[in-house]
Amino acid sequence: MDLALFLIAGAVALIGAVAMLMARNAVHSALFLLLNFAAIAVLFLLLQSPFLFAIQLTVYAGAIMVLFLFVVMLLGAEQVEDTPDRIAWQRPLGLLLGLALLAVAVIAGLRTGTTPLPGGEAVATFGNPASLGALLFTRYMLPFQITGVILLIAVIGVVVLNQRGRQSAESGQATGD
Amino acid sequence: MVPTAYYILLSAALFAIGVLGVLVRRNAMVVFMSVELMLNAANLALVTFARERLSVDGQVLVFFVITVAAAEVAVGLALLVAIFRTKRTADVDEVSTLRG
């Protein structure tokens, strides 16, 4: 049962990733990536991480992908790759290096061994949101607070970037008049 | 139960696809999406090892990765919008000068 679910979710994740890579339209890429995120969320559930399943769906599939789609449609940057590559050997070299990395990663992954995941009584209580929260607010208190600062800096950064763009656009209009 | 190696192999494949996307595609939006795909592949490996070791620390790390990724996407997309305003393109080959 678990294996069947894993195979289906894994196949969907792989198909979504490859289709994201191949799609010529950036909106299609974003939607295929959404499919991939949903499949990975299912895998999180299979690995007994219900909290991360919910976070994956709300933060990644919800917030981040909406942001992506919004910006793609705002810019109208769906298709920009009509012109050929400036460096002709860039694409084959990229493919070669990507496949080399895949080979290395597969070799490293196979070294983890094929022992099945542990079962038993310890698994029953593993991964419930309460244990994650307890760890988050005790041992990982400092990283948690640093994350808050990072989010604040990101908010300030986005506001500053947009503010500067607007000012330059307005001054450009003023000089244009 | 599904062996750990299956999850790690899937994670490796997804990561390699993400790397390929960064190397091959020139649409800045798709390059950015590929970076997100790589983060997700790493998250999958972390959750798998957390499950194997029955240690919640891996899940806490994934939680941090997801929050920082959200911040990174917000700043990155704001940068892309700023670049698009000045250059009128989302092609990473066109953005080759350091002047603003």
Side-chain angles (χ1 to χ4, degrees):
Chain A
M1 182 62 190
D2 271 7
L3 189 64
L5 276 175
F6 169 80
L7 288 178
I8 294 169
V12 170
L14 274 180
I15 290 169
V18 171
M20 182 214 73
L21 189 63
M22 308 292 281
R24 307 310 300 168
N25 190 324
V27 176
H28 296 171
S29 288
L31 292 176
F32 280 124
L33 191 60
L34 189 61
L35 181 72
N36 177 58
F37 284 168
I40 288 181
V42 172
L43 289 176
F44 282 177
L45 206 52
L46 269 179
L47 288 165
Q48 293 207 339
S49 315
F51 181 68
L52 291 177
F53 163 78
I55 290 285
Q56 173 87 1
L57 282 185
T58 51
V59 176
Y60 257 119
I64 292 183
M65 287 322 293
V66 167
L67 203 59
F68 262 112
L69 282 172
F70 183 75
V71 171
V72 171
M73 291 174 176
L74 176 79
L75 297 185
E78 288 95 346
Q79 288 158 321
V80 295
E81 298 178 60
D82 296 331
T83 53
D85 273 325
R86 285 189 183 176
I87 311 168
W89 41 265
Q90 183 183 352
R91 188 171 292 251
L93 186 68
L95 282 171
L96 188 71
L97 289 175
L99 289 177
L101 180 74
L102 177 64
V104 171
V106 163
I107 292 168
L110 286 175
R111 288 183 61 191
T112 57
T114 52
T115 51
L117 293 170
E121 289 175 9
V123 179
T125 55
F126 170 74
N128 59 341
S131 63
L132 208 153
L135 208 55
L136 200 58
F137 286 106
T138 53
R139 197 191 301 169
Y140 295 101
M141 192 63 201
L142 185 63
F144 182 72
Q145 292 184 339
I146 292 172
T147 315
V149 175
I150 289 174
L151 285 173
L152 176 70
I153 293 171
V155 170
I156 295 172
V158 170
V159 170
V160 166
L161 277 171
N162 275 321
Q163 199 65 36
R164 209 181 52 183
R166 191 168 299 142
Q167 274 173 358
S168 67
E170 279 169 5
S171 64
Q173 273 182 346
T175 52
D177 294 341
Chain B
M1 292 299 293
V2 186
T4 311
Y6 289 13
Y7 284 101
I8 301 305
L9 290 182
L10 177 65
S11 166
L14 290 176
F15 194 91
I17 293 170
V19 169
L20 267 179
V22 172
L23 290 178
V24 170
R25 294 300 300 260
R26 280 177 299 138
N27 189 337
M29 301 299 303
V30 180
V31 170
F32 215 177
M33 288 176 208
S34 303
V35 173
E36 293 307 310
L37 183 63
M38 284 193 274
L39 283 171
N40 257 283
N43 282 350
L44 182 60
L46 279 171
V47 174
T48 307
F49 284 128
R51 174 70 181 73
E52 190 193 43
R53 310 257 161 199
L54 289 180
S55 124
V56 190
D57 299 55
Q59 296 190 4
V60 176
L61 191 51
V62 171
F63 174 80
F64 286 133
V65 169
I66 289 177
T67 38
V68 173
E72 172 243 335
V73 165
V75 175
L77 287 177
L79 276 173
L80 279 184
V81 172
I83 290 170
F84 198 85
R85 276 214 186 103
T86 52
K87 296 271 183 187
R88 291 281 145 210
T89 180
D91 191 331
V92 287
D93 275 1
E94 301 291 327
V95 187
S96 54
T97 52
L98 284 175
R99 288 185 291 114

